[in-house]
C-alpha cells in the first residue's frame, strides 16, 4: 500500500508493507540514518523522532499509521546550515560521547521542550513546573545513554529550555 507523509519538510509517497516500522521506512527507503535501531522494542529511545510534533519511538510506529503525518528526524532539526540551538548546546556541553544515542536524545529533547504540564515527579499536578534538572531527567528517562553522558545532556537541555 502507498502512504504519503512529510519528512523534514519534504513530501514523500512511498509503497510500504503494512508491517514495516517507521524506523525501517526512514532508514531503508528514505536513506535517513540518523534515527538508530538500538533495541527494536521501544526501550532505549535511540529511534526517537517527532511525529506531528510529538516524540515517538519510530521502531514501534507502523509506517502505515503515519500516513498523512509530518515527521521530523535529527536530520531535519537544522535550519539550512545553522544548527538548532539545542544541537549547538549539545556540542557546547559535550552532551555525547559515542554519539549513537544522540539523534534520539535530540529529538526527544525537542519534543519534551514543547510538552507542557506536570510529570511523574511534579509535586502539585495542577502546576506546569519549570524544567529543572530533576524534571528534565524524568522527562528524558526513556532515552538511554550507555556512555553515561546524562549530566551533560541535562545541562545542554537546561540551557535552551524556556
Amino acid at each position: 500500500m502507498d502512504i504519503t507523509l512529510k519528512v523534514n519538510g519534504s513530501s514523500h509517497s512511498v509503497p510500504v508493507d503494512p508491517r514495516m516500522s517507521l524506523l525501517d521506512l526512514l532508514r531503508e527507503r528514505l536513506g535517513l540514518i540518523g534515527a538508530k535501531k538500538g533495541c527494536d522494542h521501544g526501550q532505549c529511545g535511540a529511534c526517537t523522532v517527532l511525529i506531528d510534533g510529538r516524540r515517538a519511538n519510530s521502531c514501534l510506529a507502523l509506517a502505515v499509521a503515519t500516513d498523512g503525518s509530518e515527521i521530523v528526524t535529527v536530520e531535519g532539526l537544522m535550519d539550512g546550515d545553522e544548527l538548532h540551538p539545542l544541537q549547538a548546546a549539545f556540542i557546547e556541553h559535550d552532551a555525547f560521547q559515542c554519539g549513537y544515542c544522540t539523534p534520539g536524545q535530540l529529538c526527544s529533547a525537542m519534543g519534551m521542550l514543547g510538552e507542557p504540564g506536570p510529570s511523574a515527579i511534579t509535586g502539585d499536578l495542577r502546576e506546569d513546573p519549570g524544567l529543572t534538572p530533576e524534571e528534565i531527567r524524568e522527562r528524558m528517562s526513556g532515552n538511554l545513554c550507555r556512555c553515561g553522558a546524562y549530566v551533560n545532556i541535562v545541562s545542554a537541555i537546561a540551557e535552551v529550555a524556556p
Side-chain angles (χ1 to χ4, degrees):
M1 85 183 285
D2 287 354
I3 64 168
T4 302
L5 62 165
K6 188 180 272 190
V7 181
N8 299 331
S10 298
S11 293
H12 299 272
S13 288
V14 188
V16 297
D17 182 300
R19 301 166 291 178
M20 177 179 262
S21 71
L22 176 60
L23 177 62
D24 289 340
L25 171 69
L26 293 170
R27 293 180 62 80
E28 296 171 13
R29 298 281 177 87
L30 300 181
L32 297 170
I33 58 171
K36 303 293 190 262
K37 189 174 277 199
C39 66
D40 215 20
H41 296 287
Q43 297 172 340
C44 72
C47 67
T48 305
V49 298
L50 301 174
I51 302 175
D52 294 326
R54 296 187 54 99
R55 53 191 170 155
N57 292 327
S58 62
C59 72
L60 296 180
L62 290 175
V64 294
T66 64
D67 188 24
S69 294
E70 186 166 338
I71 311 299
V72 177
T73 68
V74 69
E75 292 94 340
L77 296 181
M78 288 182 64
D79 184 13
D81 290 336
E82 286 290 314
L83 289 176
H84 186 279
L86 185 61
Q87 291 172 304
F90 264 61
I91 293 169
E92 182 180 323
H93 289 266
D94 197 25
F96 55 89
Q97 289 184 21
C98 80
Y100 194 82
C101 73
T102 305
Q105 297 278 359
L106 284 164
C107 284
S108 187
M110 284 294 297
M112 179 205 63
L113 291 171
E115 294 170 359
S119 74
I121 65 162
T122 304
D124 185 350
L125 297 180
R126 296 170 292 181
E127 291 184 15
D128 187 3
L131 289 175
T132 64
E134 294 78 22
E135 283 285 342
I136 293 170
R137 278 192 289 278
E138 170 62 25
R139 293 165 190 245
M140 292 293 293
S141 64
N143 290 79
L144 304 180
C145 174
R146 293 185 180 128
C147 300
Y150 295 113
V151 171
N152 297 348
I153 291 168
V154 170
S155 57
I157 295 168
E159 179 179 304
V160 299

